[in-house]
Amino acid sequence: MTHSPRRYLMYIAQNYSFAILRPLQQAILKQGGQVCWFFEGNDVEGDFLHADEQRLTSVADVKAWQPDAVFVPGNVVPRCIPGVKVGVFHGFNAGKLNRRGREDHFEIRGCFDLYCTQGPDTTVRFTQLAQQYGFFKVKQTGWPMLDPLFTEPASNPYCAVDDPRPTILMCSTFSRNLTCAPHLYETVKALVATGKWRWLVQFHPKMAAETVAQYKALQGPNLMFVETDNVIPVLQAADVMLCDTSSILLMFLLQGKPVVTFNNQHPLPHLLNVTTTDEVEHALSEALTYPVDLMVHIKHYCQQIHPYQDGCSSERVLAATNALLDNGLRELKSKPLNIVREFKMRKKLGFWGL
């Protein structure tokens, strides 16, 4: 008896989710599965969809297609979407607290059947939560988005092959109490003017428009402002990162490269953290020497957050999902109804059917 190929839905609400799920899509297609995309809300631009990618435009279309599994890089997915719900995360645990004063990364919202964790530092906690709640499973797989990070690209538009200067990548989160971008503008402007380093600047898509405009105005032979739905080549092109408490810095560290942070919330030994603008230049110069002690701390930290450097996390996520589809669901309790959240999500999606 031949089984029809399994169907997998990519459920996304932000443009950066394309880069998280595309390596997984590749693994699915290689195994003969089918993939469709669904956009929640108005923040996803259809232009980012490739010509050979298929999009379902309504919940009714999704229900008609009947996916076996749904991959979600966000925090929530409504019950009206059919299929096993798999949480794959939109970033690493940067220790950000939500309005309830709890670590947002570990907030259980009753939406998922399976969490595919990135490394031991989150797997341990999620495994405890799985035992406590009983309605989801946990499998440590690594993060699909990072698969391309560990494979050298054929060409990289952000590398300047004929420019021998070190490259500094500045990234910053958008939240007002964490962002370094407005505070470091004058410092960066002065450093860019010296011309001793090459700068790449890439901000969170929700960054304040006036801050974006300021940095864009610095573009020239020493600085390139990057707007992209795929940060991996940008990370690969730089020698050192300047950042704040954005979780993108963890992806940079995983390459075995130093990060200088400005007022980081958790300034642990794998970071070179500074608290005043005067210290930034010296810290960047030090980071560019790849200090031995710092590199040891970085290596140890990376083993905790994402021990995989084989570029095969997508295959592990797919295997864990298929194992759950094959025989794991009957061991799980029913998920909570979440009537208020479900109502809000259906309202957002404009779907009131069964």
Side-chain angles (χ1 to χ4, degrees), residues 96-314:
K96 289 181 186 172
L97 302 180
N98 60 24
R99 275 179 292 218
R100 297 189 181 124
R102 297 201 291 249
E103 269 190 286
D104 205 49
H105 196 83
F106 300 109
E107 191 71 25
I108 302 300
R109 296 172 174 90
C111 293
F112 296 107
D113 302 290
L114 172 67
Y115 285 98
C116 289
T117 55
Q118 296 150 333
D121 81 320
T122 54
T123 307
V124 173
R125 181 81 185 105
F126 270 109
T127 304
Q128 291 167 348
L129 291 165
Q131 287 163 353
Q132 182 186 329
Y133 288 98
F135 54 76
F136 60 87
K137 290 196 161 195
V138 175
K139 185 75 179 166
Q140 183 176 296
T141 56
W143 198 29
M145 182 175 179
L146 295 186
D147 287 348
L149 188 66
F150 303 111
T151 44
E152 204 56 48
S155 67
N156 191 329
Y158 309 109
C159 287
V161 184
D162 50 355
D163 190 335
R165 294 178 295 174
T167 300
I168 310 288
L169 168 61
M170 181 186 186
C171 288
S172 180
T173 189
F174 67 97
S175 68
R176 249 201 331 252
N177 54 340
L178 298 178
T179 182
C180 67
H183 308 289
L184 295 184
Y185 169 70
E186 293 297 341
T187 307
V188 171
K189 184 180 174 183
L191 287 171
V192 168
T194 69
K196 66 175 175 176
W197 298 324
R198 192 175 150 259
W199 288 77
L200 297 170
V201 177
Q202 195 274 333
F203 291 153
H204 190 284
K206 293 181 186 171
M207 178 64 79
E210 61 269 25
T211 306
V212 170
Q214 274 188 314
Y215 280 86
K216 272 189 174 176
L218 298 178
Q219 287 192 102
N222 302 331
L223 184 142
M224 177 183 187
F225 191 91
V226 179
E227 290 176 289
T228 178
D229 66 324
N230 181 14
V231 294
I232 299 273
V234 191
L235 300 174
Q236 290 171 320
D239 301 297
V240 162
M241 177 185 271
L242 175 61
C243 200
D244 37 43
T245 305
S246 172
S247 65
I248 196 171
L249 71 85
L250 308 180
M251 292 166 62
F252 194 80
L253 287 170
L254 285 165
Q255 304 176 99
K257 295 176 183 176
V259 177
V260 172
T261 51
F262 182 75
N263 285 328
N264 184 279
Q265 280 196 317
H266 307 277
L268 294 165
H270 58 272
L271 300 172
L272 277 176
N273 188 56
V274 298
T275 53
T276 66
T277 54
D278 300 347
E279 302 169 275
V280 171
E281 183 177 8
H282 178 263
L284 288 171
S285 300
E286 188 187 344
L288 285 165
T289 68
Y290 282 46
V292 176
D293 278 5
L294 179 66
M295 301 315 290
V296 169
H297 287 303
I298 289 172
K299 189 174 182 184
H300 175 73
Y301 180 68
C302 290
Q303 283 301 313
Q304 294 306 305
I305 64 164
H306 196 279
Y308 309 100
Q309 299 207 338
D310 58 1
C312 296
S313 293
S314 294

